[in-house]
Amino acid sequence: EDKVVQSPLSLVVHEGDTVTLNCSYEVTNFRSLLWYKQEKKAPTFLFMLTSSGIEKKSGRLSSILDKKELFSILNITATQTGDSAVYLCAVCGIIQGAQKLVFGQGTRLTINP
Amino acid sequence: DGGITQSPKYLFRKEGQNVTLSCEQNLNHDAMYWYRQDPGQGLRLIYYSQIVNDFQKGDIAEGYSVSREKKESFPLTVTSAQKNPTAFYLCASSGQVGNTIYFGEGSWLTVV
């Protein structure tokens, strides 16, 4: 069964701290791993990773994928209160030619001033 | 502007009634998806469709039905057979296989 597990489920840190969010997965015919940020409504796209060992970076956020260990991390440096959100990891697999996206349960990140 | 439109945003229904949530996209995407999110939980896949007139059950399809008569539209019906229908429902779409998946703004369904 396809599965995505995120850890920790919840994290509370102070502004300025660096955080690392984890995502492990098992999926049929892996194609890509995606990270999303969800505040009040729909998730917004952060990164898509398809190759091992290549870091994707956007400002204070970065992410990397390890396809051998079936694992990805999302790093946020110098956190700000606006980073408070639920971070979702999703893995895309192909089943009978159809693309299926399976989500983890999310990590709720709270940044205190 | 291109995007995914879900309606209604908020919906209240009495127990035992069927309700249909609309999802329309003008991105010319082939694949469309329906997810359910409960408070404090991740997204769970209800149904997905790769092409018109074809769709597959996701992990929690029981009590739901869909149709895909047009490329732009993928409505979800929450039937009275769904035991706990109160949730946040998200529709998504993507282009070629492996491309990023984009979400609509979601629909909050409350069944009383």
Side-chain angles (χ1 to χ4, degrees):
Chain A
E1 184 187 330
D2 298 332
K3 190 167 60 174
V4 178
V5 178
Q6 291 185 246
S7 63
L9 293 181
S10 180
L11 186 57
V12 181
V13 300
H14 289 293
E15 206 167 15
D17 288 351
T18 293
V19 297
T20 298
L21 310 183
N22 305 301
C23 177
S24 65
Y25 64 89
E26 294 173 31
V27 74
T28 307
N29 293 324
F30 174 89
R31 282 296 183 269
S32 59
L33 184 144
L34 300 96
W35 284 97
Y36 288 85
K37 177 182 182 182
Q38 186 179 28
E39 296 175 88
K40 298 260 191 278
K41 292 193 268 187
T44 53
F45 172 76
L46 294 174
F47 297 112
M48 182 167 74
L49 303 152
T50 55
S51 302
S52 269
I54 299 175
E55 186 184 47
K56 291 267 180 110
K57 203 166 164 61
S58 175
R60 295 176 294 101
L61 278 67
S62 64
S63 183
I64 197 160
L65 173 67
D66 184 333
K67 285 165 78 172
K68 185 179 172 190
E69 299 298 329
L70 308 183
F71 194 83
S72 175
I73 59 171
L74 175 68
N75 280 325
I76 309 175
T77 60
T79 51
Q80 301 170 358
T81 54
D83 295 327
S84 295
V86 174
Y87 289 83
L88 295 166
C89 173
V91 176
C92 179
I94 306 297
I95 300 173
Q96 295 177 334
Q99 177 171 267
K100 182 182 177 186
L101 194 65
V102 179
F103 280 83
Q105 64 275 62
T107 293
R108 181 171 294 280
L109 177 63
T110 303
I111 311 295
N112 288 328
Chain B
D1 282 354
I4 303 170
T5 302
Q6 286 187 241
S7 64
K9 270 194 180 153
Y10 300 95
L11 185 59
F12 295 87
R13 276 294 180 268
K14 288 188 179 175
E15 202 171 306
Q17 289 181 331
N18 289 358
V19 59
T20 297
L21 307 180
S22 168
C23 178
E24 303 277 332
Q25 53 97 0
N26 59 5
L27 300 167
N28 200 32
H29 283 171
D30 290 313
M32 296 186 75
Y33 309 82
W34 274 106
Y35 290 90
R36 169 185 171 138
Q37 188 174 34
D38 294 283
Q41 305 284 320
L43 276 64
R44 292 185 290 167
L45 182 62
I46 305 172
Y47 269 99
Y48 59 113
S49 168
Q50 194 69 37
I51 56 171
V52 174
N53 292 323
D54 189 36
F55 47 82
Q56 289 78 36
K57 290 183 179 180
D59 301 314
I60 54 163
E62 187 176 344
Y64 299 97
S65 66
V66 293
S67 62
R68 188 86 187 276
E69 296 174 5
K70 298 187 297 181
K71 187 176 184 178
E72 312 81 62
S73 179
F74 192 41
L76 174 74
T77 297
V78 184
T79 74
S80 55
Q82 168 52 233
K83 297 287 180 242
N84 297 297
T86 295
F88 183 50
Y89 290 88
L90 280 161
C91 178
S93 72
S94 71
Q96 296 292 326
V97 167
N99 277 8
T100 304
I101 291 179
Y102 295 96
F103 287 88
E105 289 295 303
S107 294
W108 290 95
L109 172 63
T110 302
V111 174
V112 297

